[in-house]
Every structure is written in structure tokens, then in C-alpha cells.
Amino acid sequence: MDKIWNKYEDIQKELEAVVSFMEKNTKCKDKKIEGSIKELIHSGGKMLRPAFVIISSHFGNYDAEKTRSLASVIELLHMATLVHDDVVDDAKLRRGQETVQSKYGKDYAVYIGDFLFCVCFKILASSATLQSIKIDSNSMSRICLGEIDQLNSRFNSNLSVKSYLNRISGKTAELLSLSLYTGAAESGCSDGLCKQFWKIGHNIGMAFQIIDDILDYVGSNNVVGKAVGKDIKQGIFTVPFIYAANKNRRAFEPYFHKEVFSEEDVRKIIELVNNNGGITSSRELADKYTKKAFNLINRLPENRHKIILKEITEMLLKRTY
Amino acid sequence: MDKIWNKYEDIQKELEAVVSFMEKNTKCKDKKIEGSIKELIHSGGKMLRPAFVIISSHFGNYDAEKTRSLASVIELLHMATLVHDDVVDDAKLRRGQETVQSKYGKDYAVYIGDFLFCVCFKILASSATLQSIKIDSNSMSRICLGEIDQLNSRFNSNLSVKSYLNRISGKTAELLSLSLYTGAAESGCSDGLCKQFWKIGHNIGMAFQIIDDILDYVGSNNVVGKAVGKDIKQGIFTVPFIYAANKNRRAFEPYFHKEVFSEEDVRKIIELVNNNGGITSSRELADKYTKKAFNLINRLPENRHKIILKEITEMLLKRTY
């Protein structure tokens, strides 16, 4: 369990129950499959999404068992998308550990992701309402479309900020919105409160992703565990690039029509993005979403879980960048 | 629309409505995605599974709209599994047409499959009961496990007939069972009748897959559109191989420890399987399931759709082999 939860003993306990529930629901005759899913469950993710479900559940009529199921579904959906993302990205490592596709092969990873999707809907059918299932599958399809959009945009330098925001809204913000929304909705919060939680998740997700994308241009491998220039190398142009390239198209011209970038290209692009205000403008954009998130959190009913959500969001969005 | 439905005008019309429904529910802003799914929908499959949903629905209180949704879900689930199977098999062609992964890339195909899964659960949440969703997701996870089992068994010559039957039960029979079961259950048929339909689907599926696997040893590329020796080359040992190898382990010994087969190996294995009773025993096994299927169909209540199911099953299981 990530150490960020040490401070919140009850959340930590509930997350441990989520882990047990996920293990129980992914048991299967084939021990290799069971083992590889167990590795995923214990791979050291922050468990942010299930924690969000738990936190927002406490704003309504909290039902421990139901919340545990829903939180598990969200984390399993997240795991399924990560496994498939790693297939697509050809990723060797995730959270410092070998990925499913690198360890067991791409083929295996495709089916493990599918199997996890099925487990999610099986749990949902036992513990959620039809309305929740509809919202969950809607969100999941938006996440897929966000990923496809990112694929289709590779090495397309004609991106607008708007299309970038649209893409990360699906790719990242959607599942965070869904987490906070689901907990609230299934514990009987008012429509207004549910929507407020949805927006909080959206703004946190947008800020989080923009910060993550900035780190591709300024981070150091040791600090954030993410290699600088990784996105650029894959032809994924994020908002720092978009801002800088729109400001100084002439400087970026040589890179607009390439379909492969050398190490030297990547180094040069990072320099150009930094020199043309790409980082500054992106930080301003992240700040805008961060502020919106905190404004919305501040307007939540007063209780201990509001304070937890605020502290976790601070920790999440105040990363060094 | 496949010509097998020409004889059954009402089923044909209902299947056309299923096609329109699938198109409507996979519309999306990104025209490339929409287009590639449209190609899948019109790729010339037999539409057997949605037809099974329609046929068994007519044994209860037939509701055209509900049946159309459920039939579409089953066909979309089938499409999603095919897209992911093609990724895993590295398949260039399916039904004589270029596969999604060959045309648009593996990455794209992974997400298109995921997107189709999501659409299925979205439709289910609007048109089915929680009980149906639970059964559907259970079936889907069994299908995934069947596929993973097949992956894990590649180049493993220590297979038993039992483990083979278990694998094809998940991989093929499950979705046919589910099709017939879903139509019956959601139109309010008795539990007994629903179970009978489940068994009919199971026996048709088992016979169908065994016949298909025999064709890997005796078919001709022109007749069945399937290349002989394709499975062997991938290290997939099906029941003709298992029977023959268990009868004459010495003859097969040289192939037990290989992980790659040359064209000459494949030719030799086909010969050995034919000479050691592999085909004869497999035909007997297929006959056993075929007979069971017809016995169960004969015990269905008398109506026009019983006759249709019987004729379709005859057409399906009396392929030249």
C-alpha cells in the first residue's frame, strides 16, 4: 500500500479490503493467470481511484460492502486499461516493474485486459444499479476513444490546445470523475452533489495530466520515475509542444513532417519548447484547473472526508515541476 | 447478409434490423473509428449468433426491440473477440478481408476491441436485466480464459482430450450457448427451456469447433476458406492430433519438443494424424455432439422456429469433412 495512506488509517483499511476483494474476484483455475493479476494488484499503484470512490461514498449513506465492490471495479478497469496501454506502447516497465506484456507476451496481455474488463462487469451486475453500469460503460468507451485519438494524432503536429484537452479529458480525467461520481451516486447523494464530484474529478484529472505532460519536458528520471522525452519519441505532442509550436512555427518546421525522431531531435525539441514559453503557458493552464478543483472541493459539505480529499489533491497536484 | 438467410425472410429482416442497430450504436465523432467498425459489421459473417438470439426469443414472449438489442450485443461481443484474436494470431485476413490489425495496426485493433466491449455493456444496461449482464460477463470471462488456455497450451503436446474439450467449450461453445440462452431467458421462457437452449448451443458449438479443427488436417483452401495446417503451424494441437499422438507416441516423438514447425514438419504431422486414426476418432466425437444437439432440438416445443433452428444446425454441422 502506498505510504500516502499512512496518515488516513480508515481509508488505508478500506483500501486493504479493496485489495482482498480484487484478489478474491480474480481467482481462477489457471494459476498463471491468477498470479499475473495478483502481481498487477500489488504493483504499487497509488490506489487513487478506489480511494476517491471511498471518500465520496462518505458524503452519502456509506455502505462498506457496496463501496468496496465499486472501488474494486474502478481499480480493475484502470488496471485493464494500463495493461492494454502497455501493449500499445510496447512498454517494458510500469511503476518500475516489468509489464504483463513484457513478461508474458503481448497476446497474453490482450486477453488479461479483456478478462479484467469482464470481471468488472460481473461485479457491477452484482452490486450496482443499471444506471451505474450505463455510466461506467459510457466512461469506458470515452477512455478508449481518448486513447484511439492519441494514436491517430501521433506525429500530427497540427494539434490545437482544444483537441489536446479533449483527448486528455477522455484518457485521464474521465476515470477520476467516474470514481468520485460513482461513490457519491451509489451512496444516494443529491444530483447536484454527484455532479460537483464529477467536476472535481475532471479538474483534478486535467491538472494532473498537464503536469505529467510538462514532466516529459522538464522532469528528471530519478525524481518522477518517468523518462524525459518519452512522449516526444513516440510522436505524442502534448500541450507544452502545442503552445510553443503555435508561437514559433518556423522554429518547429523541421520536425513537422518527420515520422521518427532521433535522440538529437528529441533534445532539440525539448530545448525549443522550453525557449518558446511552452512550459510557462502549460503551468498556467495546469494552475487554472488546479484552482477550479480546489474551488469546487471548498464548496463541499464540511466533514473529515472533505479534508482528506483536499490534502490528497494538494499532494497530487503540487508535484515538483 | 449471408445467403443462408434467404430462405427465412423474417429472420433476414430481423438481422437487417440488428445491422442497423449496431451501426447506430457504434456511431462516433471520429469517422475513422466509425468506418472501421462499419467494415467489421459488413464483413460477411454468417450472423449466426444474433440469429440464435432471435430464434430462441420466439419461444417466449417475443419483444422485437429488446431482441434486437440483445442480438446486437452478442454479435458485437463476437466481433470484439475476433478483433482481439486477430491481434494475437497476427492474422492478415478474416473472411477473405484484411483484418483491422493488418489494416490499421495492432494498437488500433486493441482499442477498437475494447471500445466494442464498452458499447456492449452500454446497450445491455439499457435493455437487459442485471441477471443477464451477470451471465453475459461470466460467459465473456470464460471465453477469455479459453483463449488464454489456448495460448498457454501452444507447443504443449501433452494435451488430453479433456483439456481440449474444456478449451473449446470456452472458446467456441460458450457464445453459442449464450446466444440461445439469452433469447429464451429474456423473453420469459421457463428455466427448464432456457437450460435446454444452453445445452443445444453447447453441443452445436462443440461439434462445430471439432469439425473446424478436423478441417485443419483435411480441408482444402478453396472449399472452406481455411488454410490447412494453420493451427499446427501456430503450435495449436487440436483433437485430431491429440487422438493420434496418444495412439502412437513414438511416431510423434520428434515433434513433441519443437517450438517451431517447418512446412515439412506440418506436412508430416498431417500425414501422421491421418494414418493414426486422428481424423476417424475426431469425426466420431463430432458426431456424438451433433447427435446430442439434434436430440435436444427435437425435444423443443413444436413451432416454425424449431424447424428453422434444426435446418440451420444441419447446414452448419454437415459441412464436408
Side-chain angles (χ1 to χ4, degrees), chain B residues 248-267:
Chain B
N248 187 353
R249 293 197 74 77
R250 242 181 62 191
F252 282 88
E253 188 60 39
Y255 306 101
F256 282 170
H257 310 286
K258 285 197 169 182
E259 294 245 324
V260 173
F261 290 141
S262 67
E263 290 297 332
E264 176 55 21
D265 290 336
V266 173
R267 203 193 54 70

Side-chain angles (χ1 to χ4, degrees), chain B residues 299-311:
Chain B
R299 278 188 267 145
L300 284 173
E302 296 301 331
N303 64 35
R304 205 172 62 80
H305 288 91
K306 169 178 175 168
I307 300 168
I308 300 179
L309 181 60
K310 206 167 161 175
E311 290 179 357

Side-chain angles (χ1 to χ4, degrees), chain A residues 30 32 84-85 111 114 152, chain B residues 30 32 84-85 111 114:
Chain A
D30 186 320
K32 184 178 164 192
H84 281 178
D85 286 354
Y111 290 133
D114 291 352
N152 289 347
Chain B
D30 185 321
K32 184 179 164 192
H84 281 179
D85 287 353
Y111 290 133
D114 291 351

Side-chain angles (χ1 to χ4, degrees), chain A residues 135-152:
Chain A
I135 292 171
D136 282 1
S137 37
N138 242 323
S139 280
M140 283 308 299
S141 59
R142 273 197 290 265
I143 292 169
C144 293
L145 293 176
E147 293 288 357
I148 298 176
D149 186 40
Q150 174 162 310
L151 271 184
N152 289 347

Side-chain angles (χ1 to χ4, degrees), chain B residues 2-16:
Chain B
D2 197 286
K3 64 183 188 313
I4 57 169
W5 305 114
N6 287 349
K7 214 181 136 185
Y8 316 103
E9 213 180 311
D10 50 341
I11 306 271
Q12 196 177 41
K13 271 202 182 127
E14 289 169 279
L15 287 175
E16 277 159 10

